[in-house]
Amino acid sequence: MITTTEHSNPSNRSSGRRNRGFSLAETMIAVSVSTFFLAGVSSSYIFMLKSSLGAGNYYEMNQQSRRCLEQFSRDVRMTADVISVDPSNITIEVELSDGSTEVIDYIYESSNKRLLRETPTTSRVVLKDLESFSFSFYNLLGLATTSPLEVERIQFSAKAVRKVIEQENTHNNISAASKIRNRKMTN
């Protein structure tokens, strides 16, 4: 009869240990390290996302305000008559290139936080996301006036704000003054 005896081999002991798995302490350390790593990656991702969205907001707000300022300045320069003035609304009569006139209203809607430009046939938003807005009117001497007959210069001031992930992220202050150059002379 042949009998075999296993000899205690150090390599057999270490292979047994490998098959047992990780201890609770090793698992907890691995989970903790992974959590810190993922938290760092997540916060970096959120920061980059907010920065990217903020840059996009700034670009869009800048384009929007530039278009609005160009349109508003052109309308004011071509104003033949100022019909009504108010800190949040103005109605002007603009002389067109063919010699006819068109009535244009600029209306600030505080509830919707936007500025509209309305003609008899169209209505469009020229500024949006406005936190504040106001018109100011000045006479020939540069003094503030509320009389449509005296208005020679019109100024508006606005502050636009955009949010990213429920936090105010982008601010744009807009201010422009335009002088009426085409006003009808009255006797």
Side-chain angles (χ1 to χ4, degrees):
M1 172 159 110
I2 302 176
T3 59
T4 10
T5 58
E6 266 186 50
H7 295 286
S8 193
N9 187 345
S11 65
N12 285 343
R13 275 186 268 148
S14 65
S15 67
R17 221 182 262 163
R18 271 188 251 147
N19 292 334
R20 288 190 313 190
F22 296 106
S23 68
L24 180 61
E26 291 170 328
T27 304
M28 293 299 290
I29 290 171
V31 168
S32 298
V33 169
S34 297
T35 301
F36 283 118
F37 177 74
L38 289 175
V41 169
S42 297
S43 65
S44 295
Y45 175 75
I46 290 171
F47 176 76
M48 289 182 346
L49 177 67
K50 287 172 78 174
S51 296
S52 176
L53 291 173
N57 279 341
Y58 180 75
Y59 175 77
E60 185 182 328
M61 290 170 70
N62 192 30
Q63 294 289 80
Q64 174 189 5
S65 62
R66 185 179 51 79
R67 283 190 302 269
C68 175
L69 292 173
E70 288 172 0
Q71 181 71 61
F72 179 76
S73 294
R74 185 175 33 250
D75 288 344
V76 171
R77 282 192 307 270
M78 298 308 294
T79 296
D81 194 18
V82 178
I83 298 168
S84 70
V85 295
D86 183 84
S88 61
N89 304 310
I90 183 171
T91 303
I92 55 179
E93 183 180 34
V94 174
E95 187 171 335
L96 303 175
S97 58
D98 64 1
S100 64
T101 59
E102 179 177 54
V103 174
I104 298 174
D105 292 304
Y106 280 92
I107 302 164
Y108 171 57
E109 294 180 335
S110 59
S111 59
N112 295 324
K113 298 183 176 190
R114 63 188 188 171
L115 178 67
L116 299 173
R117 180 185 185 268
E118 293 185 347
T119 66
T121 57
T122 64
S123 177
R124 70 181 175 92
V125 175
V126 291
L127 285 176
K128 62 182 181 178
D129 302 315
L130 297 174
E131 187 175 281
S132 63
F133 182 89
S134 68
F135 283 111
S136 301
F137 310 98
Y138 301 93
N139 64 16
L140 191 58
L141 300 173
L143 302 173
T145 185
T146 56
S147 170
L149 295 174
E150 294 179 358
V151 174
E152 291 293 325
R153 186 169 51 99
I154 303 169
Q155 178 173 342
F156 79 80
S157 301
K159 180 178 182 181
V161 175
R162 295 260 177 102
K163 292 183 177 184
V164 173
I165 310 175
E166 299 301 320
Q167 290 182 330
E168 288 184 3
N169 176 278
T170 311
H171 299 261
N172 191 10
N173 293 314
I174 309 159
S175 182
S178 297
K179 185 170 175 44
I180 297 172
R181 297 182 181 170
N182 204 30
R183 187 165 208 157
K184 294 178 187 175
M185 300 303 281
T186 57
N187 293 333

PDB file of all heavy atoms in Angstrom, residues 68-106:
ATOM      1  N   CYS A  68     -30.578  94.105 -30.122  1.00  0.00           N
ATOM      2  CA  CYS A  68     -31.588  95.003 -29.566  1.00  0.00           C
ATOM      3  C   CYS A  68     -31.113  96.453 -29.629  1.00  0.00           C
ATOM      4  O   CYS A  68     -31.867  97.344 -30.031  1.00  0.00           O
ATOM      5  CB  CYS A  68     -31.912  94.614 -28.125  1.00  0.00           C
ATOM      6  SG  CYS A  68     -33.051  95.752 -27.318  1.00  0.00           S
ATOM      7  N   LEU A  69     -29.866  96.698 -29.229  1.00  0.00           N
ATOM      8  CA  LEU A  69     -29.336  98.063 -29.251  1.00  0.00           C
ATOM      9  C   LEU A  69     -29.310  98.631 -30.665  1.00  0.00           C
ATOM     10  O   LEU A  69     -29.643  99.801 -30.877  1.00  0.00           O
ATOM     11  CB  LEU A  69     -27.936  98.101 -28.642  1.00  0.00           C
ATOM     12  CG  LEU A  69     -27.853  97.827 -27.147  1.00  0.00           C
ATOM     13  CD1 LEU A  69     -26.399  97.720 -26.702  1.00  0.00           C
ATOM     14  CD2 LEU A  69     -28.577  98.889 -26.364  1.00  0.00           C
ATOM     15  N   GLU A  70     -28.916  97.824 -31.636  1.00  0.00           N
ATOM     16  CA  GLU A  70     -28.901  98.286 -33.030  1.00  0.00           C
ATOM     17  C   GLU A  70     -30.302  98.641 -33.507  1.00  0.00           C
ATOM     18  O   GLU A  70     -30.512  99.698 -34.101  1.00  0.00           O
ATOM     19  CB  GLU A  70     -28.285  97.220 -33.940  1.00  0.00           C
ATOM     20  CG  GLU A  70     -26.799  97.062 -33.772  1.00  0.00           C
ATOM     21  CD  GLU A  70     -26.232  95.873 -34.541  1.00  0.00           C
ATOM     22  OE1 GLU A  70     -27.008  95.146 -35.215  1.00  0.00           O
ATOM     23  OE2 GLU A  70     -25.012  95.662 -34.455  1.00  0.00           O
ATOM     24  N   GLN A  71     -31.279  97.782 -33.230  1.00  0.00           N
ATOM     25  CA  GLN A  71     -32.663  98.025 -33.661  1.00  0.00           C
ATOM     26  C   GLN A  71     -33.237  99.249 -32.957  1.00  0.00           C
ATOM     27  O   GLN A  71     -33.844 100.112 -33.594  1.00  0.00           O
ATOM     28  CB  GLN A  71     -33.531  96.796 -33.367  1.00  0.00           C
ATOM     29  CG  GLN A  71     -34.972  96.960 -33.799  1.00  0.00           C
ATOM     30  CD  GLN A  71     -35.121  96.940 -35.293  1.00  0.00           C
ATOM     31  OE1 GLN A  71     -34.783  95.959 -35.927  1.00  0.00           O
ATOM     32  NE2 GLN A  71     -35.633  98.009 -35.880  1.00  0.00           N
ATOM     33  N   PHE A  72     -33.054  99.321 -31.638  1.00  0.00           N
ATOM     34  CA  PHE A  72     -33.588 100.437 -30.858  1.00  0.00           C
ATOM     35  C   PHE A  72     -32.975 101.762 -31.323  1.00  0.00           C
ATOM     36  O   PHE A  72     -33.691 102.736 -31.541  1.00  0.00           O
ATOM     37  CB  PHE A  72     -33.326 100.209 -29.365  1.00  0.00           C
ATOM     38  CG  PHE A  72     -33.823 101.321 -28.499  1.00  0.00           C
ATOM     39  CD1 PHE A  72     -35.173 101.451 -28.227  1.00  0.00           C
ATOM     40  CD2 PHE A  72     -32.940 102.234 -27.955  1.00  0.00           C
ATOM     41  CE1 PHE A  72     -35.642 102.487 -27.429  1.00  0.00           C
ATOM     42  CE2 PHE A  72     -33.392 103.269 -27.154  1.00  0.00           C
ATOM     43  CZ  PHE A  72     -34.749 103.397 -26.883  1.00  0.00           C
ATOM     44  N   SER A  73     -31.662 101.802 -31.491  1.00  0.00           N
ATOM     45  CA  SER A  73     -30.993 103.037 -31.930  1.00  0.00           C
ATOM     46  C   SER A  73     -31.474 103.463 -33.312  1.00  0.00           C
ATOM     47  O   SER A  73     -31.714 104.648 -33.555  1.00  0.00           O
ATOM     48  CB  SER A  73     -29.476 102.848 -31.946  1.00  0.00           C
ATOM     49  OG  SER A  73     -29.009 102.649 -30.638  1.00  0.00           O
ATOM     50  N   ARG A  74     -31.633 102.521 -34.215  1.00  0.00           N
ATOM     51  CA  ARG A  74     -32.125 102.836 -35.564  1.00  0.00           C
ATOM     52  C   ARG A  74     -33.544 103.397 -35.487  1.00  0.00           C
ATOM     53  O   ARG A  74     -33.860 104.404 -36.123  1.00  0.00           O
ATOM     54  CB  ARG A  74     -32.076 101.584 -36.440  1.00  0.00           C
ATOM     55  CG  ARG A  74     -32.454 101.823 -37.882  1.00  0.00           C
ATOM     56  CD  ARG A  74     -32.289 100.621 -38.804  1.00  0.00           C
ATOM     57  NE  ARG A  74     -32.527  99.322 -38.204  1.00  0.00           N
ATOM     58  CZ  ARG A  74     -31.581  98.407 -37.963  1.00  0.00           C
ATOM     59  NH1 ARG A  74     -30.321  98.648 -38.265  1.00  0.00           N
ATOM     60  NH2 ARG A  74     -31.892  97.251 -37.415  1.00  0.00           N
ATOM     61  N   ASP A  75     -34.410 102.767 -34.679  1.00  0.00           N
ATOM     62  CA  ASP A  75     -35.786 103.247 -34.530  1.00  0.00           C
ATOM     63  C   ASP A  75     -35.827 104.651 -33.941  1.00  0.00           C
ATOM     64  O   ASP A  75     -36.573 105.514 -34.425  1.00  0.00           O
ATOM     65  CB  ASP A  75     -36.605 102.290 -33.664  1.00  0.00           C
ATOM     66  CG  ASP A  75     -36.931 100.981 -34.354  1.00  0.00           C
ATOM     67  OD1 ASP A  75     -36.805 100.901 -35.597  1.00  0.00           O
ATOM     68  OD2 ASP A  75     -37.312 100.023 -33.632  1.00  0.00           O
ATOM     69  N   VAL A  76     -35.043 104.907 -32.906  1.00  0.00           N
ATOM     70  CA  VAL A  76     -35.052 106.231 -32.268  1.00  0.00           C
ATOM     71  C   VAL A  76     -34.512 107.293 -33.221  1.00  0.00           C
ATOM     72  O   VAL A  76     -35.069 108.388 -33.331  1.00  0.00           O
ATOM     73  CB  VAL A  76     -34.273 106.219 -30.935  1.00  0.00           C
ATOM     74  CG1 VAL A  76     -34.083 107.632 -30.391  1.00  0.00           C
ATOM     75  CG2 VAL A  76     -34.993 105.348 -29.915  1.00  0.00           C
ATOM     76  N   ARG A  77     -33.430 106.990 -33.921  1.00  0.00           N
ATOM     77  CA  ARG A  77     -32.879 107.972 -34.874  1.00  0.00           C
ATOM     78  C   ARG A  77     -33.906 108.342 -35.946  1.00  0.00           C
ATOM     79  O   ARG A  77     -33.943 109.470 -36.396  1.00  0.00           O
ATOM     80  CB  ARG A  77     -31.613 107.426 -35.529  1.00  0.00           C
ATOM     81  CG  ARG A  77     -30.385 107.510 -34.663  1.00  0.00           C
ATOM     82  CD  ARG A  77     -29.120 107.226 -35.458  1.00  0.00           C
ATOM     83  NE  ARG A  77     -29.157 105.972 -36.197  1.00  0.00           N
ATOM     84  CZ  ARG A  77     -28.757 104.793 -35.738  1.00  0.00           C
ATOM     85  NH1 ARG A  77     -28.274 104.704 -34.518  1.00  0.00           N
ATOM     86  NH2 ARG A  77     -28.823 103.716 -36.484  1.00  0.00           N
ATOM     87  N   MET A  78     -34.720 107.380 -36.351  1.00  0.00           N
ATOM     88  CA  MET A  78     -35.696 107.615 -37.418  1.00  0.00           C
ATOM     89  C   MET A  78     -37.073 108.048 -36.896  1.00  0.00           C
ATOM     90  O   MET A  78     -38.032 108.121 -37.652  1.00  0.00           O
ATOM     91  CB  MET A  78     -35.847 106.360 -38.278  1.00  0.00           C
ATOM     92  CG  MET A  78     -34.560 105.951 -38.985  1.00  0.00           C
ATOM     93  SD  MET A  78     -33.804 107.289 -39.935  1.00  0.00           S
ATOM     94  CE  MET A  78     -35.030 107.550 -41.185  1.00  0.00           C
ATOM     95  N   THR A  79     -37.172 108.347 -35.609  1.00  0.00           N
ATOM     96  CA  THR A  79     -38.447 108.741 -35.014  1.00  0.00           C
ATOM     97  C   THR A  79     -38.916 110.078 -35.571  1.00  0.00           C
ATOM     98  O   THR A  79     -38.202 111.076 -35.515  1.00  0.00           O
ATOM     99  CB  THR A  79     -38.329 108.819 -33.479  1.00  0.00           C
ATOM    100  OG1 THR A  79     -38.055 107.511 -32.988  1.00  0.00           O
ATOM    101  CG2 THR A  79     -39.594 109.337 -32.841  1.00  0.00           C
ATOM    102  N   ALA A  80     -40.139 110.064 -36.096  1.00  0.00           N
ATOM    103  CA  ALA A  80     -40.759 111.288 -36.594  1.00  0.00           C
ATOM    104  C   ALA A  80     -41.579 111.947 -35.487  1.00  0.00           C
ATOM    105  O   ALA A  80     -41.717 113.174 -35.463  1.00  0.00           O
ATOM    106  CB  ALA A  80     -41.650 110.976 -37.792  1.00  0.00           C
ATOM    107  N   ASP A  81     -42.101 111.141 -34.568  1.00  0.00           N
ATOM    108  CA  ASP A  81     -42.914 111.680 -33.483  1.00  0.00           C
ATOM    109  C   ASP A  81     -42.901 110.707 -32.305  1.00  0.00           C
ATOM    110  O   ASP A  81     -42.911 109.491 -32.493  1.00  0.00           O
ATOM    111  CB  ASP A  81     -44.350 111.888 -33.969  1.00  0.00           C
ATOM    112  CG  ASP A  81     -45.172 112.755 -33.031  1.00  0.00           C
ATOM    113  OD1 ASP A  81     -44.585 113.472 -32.189  1.00  0.00           O
ATOM    114  OD2 ASP A  81     -46.408 112.714 -33.130  1.00  0.00           O
ATOM    115  N   VAL A  82     -42.880 111.256 -31.104  1.00  0.00           N
ATOM    116  CA  VAL A  82     -42.997 110.450 -29.886  1.00  0.00           C
ATOM    117  C   VAL A  82     -44.448 110.540 -29.450  1.00  0.00           C
ATOM    118  O   VAL A  82     -44.956 111.630 -29.184  1.00  0.00           O
ATOM    119  CB  VAL A  82     -42.056 110.961 -28.773  1.00  0.00           C
ATOM    120  CG1 VAL A  82     -42.237 110.146 -27.507  1.00  0.00           C
ATOM    121  CG2 VAL A  82     -40.612 110.927 -29.231  1.00  0.00           C
ATOM    122  N   ILE A  83     -45.126 109.413 -29.393  1.00  0.00           N
ATOM    123  CA  ILE A  83     -46.559 109.394 -29.090  1.00  0.00           C
ATOM    124  C   ILE A  83     -46.809 109.303 -27.589  1.00  0.00           C
ATOM    125  O   ILE A  83     -47.614 110.044 -27.038  1.00  0.00           O
ATOM    126  CB  ILE A  83     -47.250 108.245 -29.853  1.00  0.00           C
ATOM    127  CG1 ILE A  83     -47.085 108.491 -31.359  1.00  0.00           C
ATOM    128  CG2 ILE A  83     -48.713 108.131 -29.468  1.00  0.00           C
ATOM    129  CD1 ILE A  83     -47.466 107.317 -32.226  1.00  0.00           C
ATOM    130  N   SER A  84     -46.132 108.370 -26.916  1.00  0.00           N
ATOM    131  CA  SER A  84     -46.300 108.258 -25.459  1.00  0.00           C
ATOM    132  C   SER A  84     -45.013 107.746 -24.829  1.00  0.00           C
ATOM    133  O   SER A  84     -44.246 107.021 -25.461  1.00  0.00           O
ATOM    134  CB  SER A  84     -47.473 107.328 -25.108  1.00  0.00           C
ATOM    135  OG  SER A  84     -47.169 106.003 -25.423  1.00  0.00           O
ATOM    136  N   VAL A  85     -44.808 108.169 -23.577  1.00  0.00           N
ATOM    137  CA  VAL A  85     -43.609 107.756 -22.837  1.00  0.00           C
ATOM    138  C   VAL A  85     -44.007 107.284 -21.444  1.00  0.00           C
ATOM    139  O   VAL A  85     -44.948 107.786 -20.850  1.00  0.00           O
ATOM    140  CB  VAL A  85     -42.571 108.908 -22.727  1.00  0.00           C
ATOM    141  CG1 VAL A  85     -42.052 109.278 -24.089  1.00  0.00           C
ATOM    142  CG2 VAL A  85     -43.144 110.119 -22.029  1.00  0.00           C
ATOM    143  N   ASP A  86     -43.272 106.305 -20.966  1.00  0.00           N
ATOM    144  CA  ASP A  86     -43.493 105.725 -19.647  1.00  0.00           C
ATOM    145  C   ASP A  86     -42.193 105.007 -19.294  1.00  0.00           C
ATOM    146  O   ASP A  86     -41.485 104.563 -20.188  1.00  0.00           O
ATOM    147  CB  ASP A  86     -44.668 104.737 -19.747  1.00  0.00           C
ATOM    148  CG  ASP A  86     -45.029 104.131 -18.416  1.00  0.00           C
ATOM    149  OD1 ASP A  86     -45.785 104.751 -17.662  1.00  0.00           O
ATOM    150  OD2 ASP A  86     -44.533 103.013 -18.147  1.00  0.00           O
ATOM    151  N   PRO A  87     -41.850 104.867 -18.012  1.00  0.00           N
ATOM    152  CA  PRO A  87     -40.601 104.166 -17.675  1.00  0.00           C
ATOM    153  C   PRO A  87     -40.508 102.721 -18.195  1.00  0.00           C
ATOM    154  O   PRO A  87     -39.413 102.190 -18.349  1.00  0.00           O
ATOM    155  CB  PRO A  87     -40.583 104.190 -16.149  1.00  0.00           C
ATOM    156  CG  PRO A  87     -41.395 105.386 -15.786  1.00  0.00           C
ATOM    157  CD  PRO A  87     -42.471 105.468 -16.834  1.00  0.00           C
ATOM    158  N   SER A  88     -41.651 102.105 -18.499  1.00  0.00           N
ATOM    159  CA  SER A  88     -41.598 100.732 -19.001  1.00  0.00           C
ATOM    160  C   SER A  88     -42.122 100.582 -20.430  1.00  0.00           C
ATOM    161  O   SER A  88     -42.068  99.492 -20.983  1.00  0.00           O
ATOM    162  CB  SER A  88     -42.367  99.793 -18.067  1.00  0.00           C
ATOM    163  OG  SER A  88     -43.718 100.176 -17.993  1.00  0.00           O
ATOM    164  N   ASN A  89     -42.624 101.663 -21.027  1.00  0.00           N
ATOM    165  CA  ASN A  89     -43.169 101.596 -22.387  1.00  0.00           C
ATOM    166  C   ASN A  89     -42.877 102.888 -23.140  1.00  0.00           C
ATOM    167  O   ASN A  89     -42.840 103.960 -22.542  1.00  0.00           O
ATOM    168  CB  ASN A  89     -44.696 101.421 -22.374  1.00  0.00           C
ATOM    169  CG  ASN A  89     -45.134 100.221 -21.598  1.00  0.00           C
ATOM    170  OD1 ASN A  89     -44.630  99.135 -21.810  1.00  0.00           O
ATOM    171  ND2 ASN A  89     -46.067 100.411 -20.691  1.00  0.00           N
ATOM    172  N   ILE A  90     -42.744 102.756 -24.444  1.00  0.00           N
ATOM    173  CA  ILE A  90     -42.634 103.926 -25.302  1.00  0.00           C
ATOM    174  C   ILE A  90     -43.311 103.599 -26.626  1.00  0.00           C
ATOM    175  O   ILE A  90     -43.213 102.476 -27.124  1.00  0.00           O
ATOM    176  CB  ILE A  90     -41.168 104.347 -25.523  1.00  0.00           C
ATOM    177  CG1 ILE A  90     -41.119 105.608 -26.370  1.00  0.00           C
ATOM    178  CG2 ILE A  90     -40.351 103.243 -26.138  1.00  0.00           C
ATOM    179  CD1 ILE A  90     -39.739 106.233 -26.458  1.00  0.00           C
ATOM    180  N   THR A  91     -44.016 104.579 -27.151  1.00  0.00           N
ATOM    181  CA  THR A  91     -44.641 104.436 -28.464  1.00  0.00           C
ATOM    182  C   THR A  91     -44.116 105.568 -29.335  1.00  0.00           C
ATOM    183  O   THR A  91     -44.217 106.738 -28.960  1.00  0.00           O
ATOM    184  CB  THR A  91     -46.182 104.508 -28.373  1.00  0.00           C
ATOM    185  OG1 THR A  91     -46.636 103.501 -27.476  1.00  0.00           O
ATOM    186  CG2 THR A  91     -46.823 104.301 -29.735  1.00  0.00           C
ATOM    187  N   ILE A  92     -43.532 105.181 -30.465  1.00  0.00           N
ATOM    188  CA  ILE A  92     -42.951 106.158 -31.380  1.00  0.00           C
ATOM    189  C   ILE A  92     -43.480 105.922 -32.794  1.00  0.00           C
ATOM    190  O   ILE A  92     -43.909 104.824 -33.130  1.00  0.00           O
ATOM    191  CB  ILE A  92     -41.403 106.106 -31.376  1.00  0.00           C
ATOM    192  CG1 ILE A  92     -40.908 104.686 -31.694  1.00  0.00           C
ATOM    193  CG2 ILE A  92     -40.849 106.614 -30.063  1.00  0.00           C
ATOM    194  CD1 ILE A  92     -39.400 104.526 -31.749  1.00  0.00           C
ATOM    195  N   GLU A  93     -43.443 106.994 -33.569  1.00  0.00           N
ATOM    196  CA  GLU A  93     -43.801 106.894 -34.979  1.00  0.00           C
ATOM    197  C   GLU A  93     -42.507 107.051 -35.767  1.00  0.00           C
ATOM    198  O   GLU A  93     -41.811 108.057 -35.633  1.00  0.00           O
ATOM    199  CB  GLU A  93     -44.800 107.986 -35.360  1.00  0.00           C
ATOM    200  CG  GLU A  93     -45.275 107.897 -36.778  1.00  0.00           C
ATOM    201  CD  GLU A  93     -46.265 108.998 -37.115  1.00  0.00           C
ATOM    202  OE1 GLU A  93     -46.133 110.116 -36.578  1.00  0.00           O
ATOM    203  OE2 GLU A  93     -47.157 108.738 -37.928  1.00  0.00           O
ATOM    204  N   VAL A  94     -42.183 106.047 -36.562  1.00  0.00           N
ATOM    205  CA  VAL A  94     -40.909 106.009 -37.281  1.00  0.00           C
ATOM    206  C   VAL A  94     -41.164 106.227 -38.768  1.00  0.00           C
ATOM    207  O   VAL A  94     -42.083 105.641 -39.344  1.00  0.00           O
ATOM    208  CB  VAL A  94     -40.203 104.654 -37.048  1.00  0.00           C
ATOM    209  CG1 VAL A  94     -38.948 104.528 -37.885  1.00  0.00           C
ATOM    210  CG2 VAL A  94     -39.890 104.470 -35.574  1.00  0.00           C
ATOM    211  N   GLU A  95     -40.332 107.083 -39.372  1.00  0.00           N
ATOM    212  CA  GLU A  95     -40.435 107.300 -40.809  1.00  0.00           C
ATOM    213  C   GLU A  95     -39.635 106.222 -41.527  1.00  0.00           C
ATOM    214  O   GLU A  95     -38.455 106.009 -41.250  1.00  0.00           O
ATOM    215  CB  GLU A  95     -39.911 108.681 -41.184  1.00  0.00           C
ATOM    216  CG  GLU A  95     -40.155 109.008 -42.633  1.00  0.00           C
ATOM    217  CD  GLU A  95     -39.842 110.447 -42.971  1.00  0.00           C
ATOM    218  OE1 GLU A  95     -39.892 111.313 -42.079  1.00  0.00           O
ATOM    219  OE2 GLU A  95     -39.535 110.701 -44.146  1.00  0.00           O
ATOM    220  N   LEU A  96     -40.303 105.555 -42.463  1.00  0.00           N
ATOM    221  CA  LEU A  96     -39.676 104.485 -43.232  1.00  0.00           C
ATOM    222  C   LEU A  96     -38.984 105.053 -44.468  1.00  0.00           C
ATOM    223  O   LEU A  96     -39.181 106.205 -44.840  1.00  0.00           O
ATOM    224  CB  LEU A  96     -40.714 103.429 -43.620  1.00  0.00           C
ATOM    225  CG  LEU A  96     -41.478 102.805 -42.445  1.00  0.00           C
ATOM    226  CD1 LEU A  96     -42.566 101.870 -42.957  1.00  0.00           C
ATOM    227  CD2 LEU A  96     -40.531 102.072 -41.517  1.00  0.00           C
ATOM    228  N   SER A  97     -38.182 104.252 -45.131  1.00  0.00           N
ATOM    229  CA  SER A  97     -37.400 104.700 -46.290  1.00  0.00           C
ATOM    230  C   SER A  97     -38.276 105.141 -47.463  1.00  0.00           C
ATOM    231  O   SER A  97     -37.869 105.969 -48.265  1.00  0.00           O
ATOM    232  CB  SER A  97     -36.428 103.611 -46.741  1.00  0.00           C
ATOM    233  OG  SER A  97     -37.144 102.438 -47.069  1.00  0.00           O
ATOM    234  N   ASP A  98     -39.499 104.610 -47.540  1.00  0.00           N
ATOM    235  CA  ASP A  98     -40.384 105.005 -48.643  1.00  0.00           C
ATOM    236  C   ASP A  98     -41.198 106.252 -48.331  1.00  0.00           C
ATOM    237  O   ASP A  98     -42.071 106.654 -49.096  1.00  0.00           O
ATOM    238  CB  ASP A  98     -41.306 103.843 -49.024  1.00  0.00           C
ATOM    239  CG  ASP A  98     -42.268 103.456 -47.907  1.00  0.00           C
ATOM    240  OD1 ASP A  98     -42.253 104.092 -46.829  1.00  0.00           O
ATOM    241  OD2 ASP A  98     -43.050 102.496 -48.107  1.00  0.00           O
ATOM    242  N   GLY A  99     -40.953 106.883 -47.185  1.00  0.00           N
ATOM    243  CA  GLY A  99     -41.653 108.109 -46.803  1.00  0.00           C
ATOM    244  C   GLY A  99     -42.880 107.871 -45.946  1.00  0.00           C
ATOM    245  O   GLY A  99     -43.414 108.807 -45.357  1.00  0.00           O
ATOM    246  N   SER A 100     -43.342 106.628 -45.834  1.00  0.00           N
ATOM    247  CA  SER A 100     -44.482 106.324 -44.971  1.00  0.00           C
ATOM    248  C   SER A 100     -44.007 106.231 -43.525  1.00  0.00           C
ATOM    249  O   SER A 100     -42.804 106.247 -43.244  1.00  0.00           O
ATOM    250  CB  SER A 100     -45.145 105.015 -45.413  1.00  0.00           C
ATOM    251  OG  SER A 100     -44.251 103.935 -45.245  1.00  0.00           O
ATOM    252  N   THR A 101     -44.948 106.128 -42.608  1.00  0.00           N
ATOM    253  CA  THR A 101     -44.591 106.003 -41.189  1.00  0.00           C
ATOM    254  C   THR A 101     -45.180 104.724 -40.613  1.00  0.00           C
ATOM    255  O   THR A 101     -46.141 104.165 -41.151  1.00  0.00           O
ATOM    256  CB  THR A 101     -45.106 107.214 -40.372  1.00  0.00           C
ATOM    257  OG1 THR A 101     -46.521 107.295 -40.499  1.00  0.00           O
ATOM    258  CG2 THR A 101     -44.438 108.502 -40.818  1.00  0.00           C
ATOM    259  N   GLU A 102     -44.587 104.285 -39.514  1.00  0.00           N
ATOM    260  CA  GLU A 102     -45.034 103.083 -38.822  1.00  0.00           C
ATOM    261  C   GLU A 102     -44.951 103.342 -37.322  1.00  0.00           C
ATOM    262  O   GLU A 102     -43.970 103.905 -36.840  1.00  0.00           O
ATOM    263  CB  GLU A 102     -44.132 101.906 -39.202  1.00  0.00           C
ATOM    264  CG  GLU A 102     -44.480 100.611 -38.529  1.00  0.00           C
ATOM    265  CD  GLU A 102     -43.600  99.464 -38.998  1.00  0.00           C
ATOM    266  OE1 GLU A 102     -42.369  99.588 -38.925  1.00  0.00           O
ATOM    267  OE2 GLU A 102     -44.162  98.449 -39.434  1.00  0.00           O
ATOM    268  N   VAL A 103     -45.968 102.921 -36.595  1.00  0.00           N
ATOM    269  CA  VAL A 103     -45.980 103.072 -35.137  1.00  0.00           C
ATOM    270  C   VAL A 103     -45.300 101.852 -34.528  1.00  0.00           C
ATOM    271  O   VAL A 103     -45.620 100.712 -34.864  1.00  0.00           O
ATOM    272  CB  VAL A 103     -47.412 103.221 -34.602  1.00  0.00           C
ATOM    273  CG1 VAL A 103     -47.422 103.228 -33.075  1.00  0.00           C
ATOM    274  CG2 VAL A 103     -48.045 104.498 -35.139  1.00  0.00           C
ATOM    275  N   ILE A 104     -44.344 102.108 -33.630  1.00  0.00           N
ATOM    276  CA  ILE A 104     -43.603 101.032 -32.960  1.00  0.00           C
ATOM    277  C   ILE A 104     -43.734 101.214 -31.453  1.00  0.00           C
ATOM    278  O   ILE A 104     -43.546 102.325 -30.943  1.00  0.00           O
ATOM    279  CB  ILE A 104     -42.114 101.049 -33.366  1.00  0.00           C
ATOM    280  CG1 ILE A 104     -41.986 100.816 -34.873  1.00  0.00           C
ATOM    281  CG2 ILE A 104     -41.331 100.001 -32.587  1.00  0.00           C
ATOM    282  CD1 ILE A 104     -40.580 100.962 -35.402  1.00  0.00           C
ATOM    283  N   ASP A 105     -44.058 100.143 -30.785  1.00  0.00           N
ATOM    284  CA  ASP A 105     -44.126 100.130 -29.323  1.00  0.00           C
ATOM    285  C   ASP A 105     -42.992  99.278 -28.786  1.00  0.00           C
ATOM    286  O   ASP A 105     -42.767  98.163 -29.262  1.00  0.00           O
ATOM    287  CB  ASP A 105     -45.451  99.518 -28.838  1.00  0.00           C
ATOM    288  CG  ASP A 105     -46.650 100.374 -29.159  1.00  0.00           C
ATOM    289  OD1 ASP A 105     -46.658 101.533 -28.751  1.00  0.00           O
ATOM    290  OD2 ASP A 105     -47.578  99.860 -29.830  1.00  0.00           O
ATOM    291  N   TYR A 106     -42.301  99.806 -27.786  1.00  0.00           N
ATOM    292  CA  TYR A 106     -41.361  99.008 -26.997  1.00  0.00           C
ATOM    293  C   TYR A 106     -42.030  98.841 -25.636  1.00  0.00           C
ATOM    294  O   TYR A 106     -42.333  99.827 -24.963  1.00  0.00           O
ATOM    295  CB  TYR A 106     -40.011  99.706 -26.850  1.00  0.00           C
ATOM    296  CG  TYR A 106     -39.126  99.547 -28.065  1.00  0.00           C
ATOM    297  CD1 TYR A 106     -39.143 100.488 -29.092  1.00  0.00           C
ATOM    298  CD2 TYR A 106     -38.275  98.455 -28.191  1.00  0.00           C
ATOM    299  CE1 TYR A 106     -38.335 100.328 -30.204  1.00  0.00           C
ATOM    300  CE2 TYR A 106     -37.469  98.295 -29.303  1.00  0.00           C
ATOM    301  CZ  TYR A 106     -37.502  99.235 -30.303  1.00  0.00           C
ATOM    302  OH  TYR A 106     -36.704  99.076 -31.409  1.00  0.00           O
TER     303      TYR A 106
END
